[in-house]
Amino acid sequence: QVQLVESGGGLVQPGETLRLSCATSGLTLDDYAVGWFRQVPGKERDMSDGISCISNSAGAVPWSDESMKGRFTISTDNAKNTVYLDITNAKLEDTAVYYCAADVVGCHVLVAAAWEYWGRGTQVTVSS
């Protein structure tokens, strides 16, 4: 049974850094891509924005737009079956529920609705 559990969210101030973790079980990161998405209020999870993806074949693939590139870094620790998302220089607009998702579809699929396995999400609130 595939399970994904996000952690690391919370309240941070603008400019701060935080690390989100996605602990996986029931799958091997050699075979699955893992993507990070974020859901802002008013949007359905299936319409959430993709941030970044990582897979054994593609490596780290940034999905985000120019305003986010350079601030979001995805990485993985295969020994711990965990995928991380580092957020630097947090901005108010980064406030969202952050989800990790896993699928065999690969990092070329940016549409959230296409991803099969999801965690429950972790809330990130950026506020001064």
Side-chain angles (χ1 to χ4, degrees):
Q1 181 181 2
V2 175
Q3 288 188 324
L4 307 173
V5 180
E6 301 93 339
S7 62
L11 175 64
V12 297
Q13 293 188 343
E16 290 187 338
T17 296
L18 71 161
R19 164 169 277 197
L20 306 182
S21 300
C22 173
T24 73
S25 59
L27 60 81
T28 172
L29 293 178
D30 287 342
D31 299 329
Y32 281 75
V34 175
W36 281 98
F37 298 82
R38 69 182 187 185
Q39 180 187 20
V40 297
K43 260 191 175 181
E44 296 293 327
R45 192 192 70 183
D46 281 353
M47 299 294 292
S48 55
D49 297 321
I51 302 169
S52 193
C53 178
I54 194 164
S55 71
N56 193 43
S57 58
V61 179
W63 285 336
S64 51
D65 59 29
E66 288 298 323
S67 67
M68 296 167 62
K69 283 181 181 177
R71 298 196 300 112
F72 292 80
T73 304
I74 193 170
S75 61
T76 183
D77 185 336
N78 284 20
K80 295 182 178 180
N81 292 320
T82 300
V83 178
Y84 303 99
L85 182 71
D86 292 316
I87 306 172
T88 58
N89 189 23
K91 299 182 182 300
L92 298 177
E93 55 265 35
D94 294 331
T95 295
V97 178
Y98 286 72
Y99 293 92
C100 61
D103 206 299
V104 295
V105 294
C107 291
H108 62 283
V109 178
L110 284 70
V111 179
W115 288 68
E116 182 172 4
Y117 301 105
W118 291 77
R120 294 188 175 184
T122 185
Q123 174 72 48
V124 172
T125 302
V126 183
S127 175
S128 56

